[in-house]
Amino acid sequence: MSKILIIEDENAIAELEKDYLELSDFEVEIETDGEIGLEKALKNDYDLFILDLMLPGVDGFEICKQIRENKNTPVIIVSAKKDDIDKIRGLGLGADDYMTKPFSPSELVARVKAHLSRYERLVASNSVVKNDIIEIRGLKIDKTARRVYVDGEEKILTTKEFDLLTFLAQNPNHVYTKEELFREIWDMNSIGDIATVTVHIKKIREKIEFDTSNPQYIETIWGVGYRFKI
Ligand code: CA
């Protein structure tokens, strides 16, 4: 459920906004003091802010500026004075939207929804860019989060299983001997030998293959080693 903070000193307006937003299943908090509102906005996690400009304590101009310096959360400014909205635009404080009072509450709700979905898409696309992901035929290796999924279902791999699978998947179609894989994944001081590689390949296959006797991902090249199929 999306959480919204309304910073507004006119109770009647704040309550009206809250009622309409709650009807649309949003979780809403009201803060009437600018200073406390700013503190809450910076300290807690909200999905969107609705901000009045003329407030006791710290005004909405300063709150907007400080939110923007710290967060990408959408900010909708609601002000009685059109001049103030022109001013905040002119100052380039980075608010996402502006409404003048009196406004239609359902229009506010519509805008809140639009900004939230735009923001969610933005966050989602950023995380795809940020995470380093290898995807091959239903197998997804998220190198950043060190997680593995097969057809969307997460598979829990140990550290070495993950490293071995990732190394092979990053170098598809290349045949590696067990010795090469052992040297690559285990450090010089590791206890173990090439049989360790065999054991780990078996475990990985049990986790990611539909049929371990007919592996789709890691292929055994008899007498040589292993190769990741592309
Ligand atoms: Ca006010």
Side-chain angles (χ1 to χ4, degrees):
M1 191 194 284
S2 297
K3 211 167 142 188
I4 297 170
L5 177 65
I6 298 172
I7 309 178
E8 167 68 69
D9 63 331
E10 279 170 82
N11 261 320
I13 292 177
E15 290 294 340
L16 179 70
E17 292 171 353
K18 186 171 188 262
D19 286 349
Y20 271 82
L21 290 164
E22 283 179 346
L23 281 174
S24 289
D25 283 334
F26 293 112
E27 196 185 327
V28 183
E29 271 179 45
I30 294 175
E31 183 46 60
T32 52
D33 180 83
E35 199 174 335
I36 300 169
L38 175 61
E39 207 180 294
K40 278 191 176 178
L42 297 181
K43 206 173 71 190
N44 304 334
D45 273 335
Y46 295 98
D47 299 293
L48 186 140
F49 299 104
I50 296 174
L51 183 60
D52 178 28
L53 288 176
M54 292 302 118
L55 290 162
V58 178
D59 69 20
F61 295 96
E62 183 61 25
I63 296 174
C64 186
K65 181 168 160 261
Q66 291 212 29
I67 288 174
R68 232 355 120 246
E69 281 170 5
N70 292 282
K71 304 184 172 210
N72 294 319
T73 317
V75 177
I76 299 180
I77 303 277
V78 173
S79 175
K81 288 195 264 175
K82 199 186 164 298
D83 290 356
D84 282 339
I85 289 185
D86 293 340
K87 188 173 156 196
I88 202 157
R89 275 202 178 111
L91 289 170
L93 293 177
D96 296 87
D97 209 346
Y98 316 86
M99 293 184 84
T100 38
K101 296 172 189 173
F103 55 88
S104 129
S106 38
E107 170 69 20
L108 176 70
V109 172
R111 293 202 194 184
V112 164
K113 285 181 180 169
H115 285 287
L116 280 172
S117 61
R118 192 181 58 84
Y119 183 62
E120 276 158 17
R121 279 199 306 274
L122 185 77
V123 170
S125 66
N126 279 347
S127 62
V128 169
V129 172
K130 265 191 269 156
N131 282 22
D132 192 353
I133 288 169
I134 304 171
E135 253 184 306
I136 303 157
R137 295 188 315 276
L139 173 70
K140 179 172 151 188
I141 305 171
D142 184 335
K143 289 170 63 189
T144 314
R146 293 185 64 89
R147 297 172 100 164
V148 175
Y149 303 84
V150 179
D151 294 330
E153 190 186 323
E154 185 168 10
K155 304 290 171 182
I156 308 300
L157 271 64
T158 65
T159 306
K160 291 298 183 204
E161 287 164 8
F162 182 88
D163 291 344
L164 183 55
L165 174 64
T166 305
F167 177 75
L168 287 166
Q170 270 177 328
N171 302 282
N173 227 12
H174 184 123
V175 181
Y176 290 97
T177 65
K178 291 173 189 173
E179 289 82 357
E180 283 170 331
L181 292 172
F182 188 75
R183 274 202 307 273
E184 189 63 44
I185 306 300
W186 282 265
D187 65 57
M188 300 275 280
N189 303 318
S190 301
I191 300 169
D193 54 30
I194 57 169
T196 313
V197 176
T198 316
V199 171
H200 278 73
I201 295 282
K202 185 170 175 285
K203 296 261 195 237
I204 294 169
R205 281 181 178 154
E206 284 166 4
K207 292 176 183 181
I208 68 166
E209 294 286 355
F210 176 69
D211 175 6
T212 51
S213 60
N214 179 28
Q216 297 305 302
Y217 300 111
I218 302 172
E219 196 180 8
T220 302
I221 309 298
W222 292 107
V224 188
Y226 300 100
R227 168 170 70 188
F228 195 98
K229 282 199 222 176
I230 44 170

